[in-house]
Amino acid sequence: GRLTVTAPHHVCNEEFAPHLLAFAVKHPDLVMELRLTNGVPDLVEEGVDVAFQLAPLPEGRHVARRLWTAPYMLAASRRFLENHP
């Protein structure tokens, strides 16, 4: 069969990618399509089976489970902040 997976670009890193590869190795007859996007795709319209998302999903047609938390930091130079209060 085919499994369509979507995730943000920065999620598919050295921590996450090995899990996808291990899954693919365990299921050699499965064709996995990985779509990397920083947008929030319409999972139903685009035929996505599994989505790893950082943003909340639209209400209604989806079931979401928290798998892990991702720390974020917003950084800016002092000069930028002085020019853009």
Side-chain angles (χ1 to χ4, degrees), residues 7-44:
H9 289 275
H10 59 279
V11 168
C12 205
N13 57 22
E14 61 273 356
E15 293 178 30
F16 180 70
H19 296 287
L20 288 178
L21 291 173
F23 183 82
V25 168
K26 287 182 181 178
H27 305 278
D29 294 331
L30 182 69
V31 175
M32 186 184 321
E33 177 184 348
L34 179 59
R35 298 178 187 173
L36 299 178
T37 178
N38 288 335
V40 180
D42 186 319
L43 305 179
V44 175

Side-chain angles (χ1 to χ4, degrees), residues 5 8 36 72 74 76-77 79:
V5 179
L36 299 178
Y72 282 90
L74 179 61
S77 71
R79 185 175 182 179

Side-chain angles (χ1 to χ4, degrees), residues 69-81:
T69 58
Y72 282 90
M73 178 189 328
L74 179 61
S77 71
R78 183 182 313 270
R79 185 175 182 179
F80 177 84
L81 292 175

